[in-house]
Amino acid sequence: MHLYPWMTAIGTFLLQFLILILIAGFIQVLKKSAIFKSRIKISPLDLWPPVLLIFIHQISRNSLAESYIPEVVIVWLGVCLIVLLWKIFKDRDLTYKKFFIFFWRFSDLLLFLCWVSVALYVIIQKF
C-alpha cells in the first residue's frame, strides 16, 4: 500500500500533537504530586517551546528537505522583542522575573502558532 505524501505529513503532525498533549498531561500529574506541589510553579505548557522547535525542524526537514528553524526563530525573537518593548513602556515596574515568565509564556503561544503554520504549509505543499 502506497501512502500519499500528504497523509504522511498529517500523520506526523497528529503524532506530534499527541506528544504535546502527553507532555502537558505529565506536567499536570507532576503538579498534583506532593513533592512538586509547593516547590515548582510550572504550567503544563512550559515544556512546549523546545519540543515545538524540534517538531518544526522535524516536520519541515522530513517533508520539504529543508528546515524552517531559522525563519521561525527570527519571527519568534522579532515578535518577542516588539512585545517586550511594548511591555516596557506599558509597565514601568518590569523585573527580570516578570520579563522571563512573560517571554516564556508568550513563546508557548507563538511557537505553537508557528508549528501549526509550518505543518499546514507542509501539508498544502504535498498536495
Side-chain angles (χ1 to χ4, degrees):
M1 183 172 135
H2 176 61
L3 290 176
Y4 294 105
W6 58 271
M7 289 177 68
T8 305
I10 291 173
T12 303
F13 176 74
L14 292 176
L15 179 64
Q16 289 175 349
F17 187 71
L18 179 66
I19 291 170
L20 289 175
I21 297 300
L22 290 174
I23 289 171
F26 177 72
I27 295 299
Q28 193 67 25
V29 168
L30 278 180
K31 279 180 66 172
K32 291 182 180 180
S33 71
I35 297 170
F36 292 102
K37 197 167 199 167
S38 63
R39 294 185 182 166
I40 299 175
K41 303 222 186 283
I42 190 168
S43 168
L45 306 180
D46 281 344
L47 292 180
W48 280 20
V51 175
L52 285 170
L53 287 172
I54 292 168
F55 286 172
I56 289 168
H57 173 72
Q58 179 187 20
I59 200 165
S60 63
R61 182 82 175 151
N62 289 346
S63 299
L64 301 174
E66 64 182 81
S67 179
Y68 283 163
I69 285 294
E71 291 87 352
V72 168
V73 169
I74 288 171
V75 167
W76 172 37
L77 294 178
V79 169
C80 285
L81 183 63
I82 291 168
V83 171
L84 170 66
L85 289 173
W86 170 73
K87 188 101 169 127
I88 287 171
F89 288 120
K90 183 181 174 231
D91 184 11
R92 301 249 185 228
D93 299 328
L94 187 64
T95 62
Y96 283 116
K97 182 178 179 180
K98 283 183 184 179
F99 162 70
F100 284 118
I101 290 173
F102 177 78
F103 175 75
W104 199 253
R105 299 282 162 83
F106 187 74
S107 296
D108 291 338
L109 174 66
L110 187 64
L111 286 176
F112 182 77
L113 293 175
C114 287
W115 171 67
V116 169
S117 300
V118 168
L120 289 175
Y121 179 75
V122 165
I123 291 168
I124 289 170
Q125 288 292 5
K126 292 296 179 177
F127 271 113

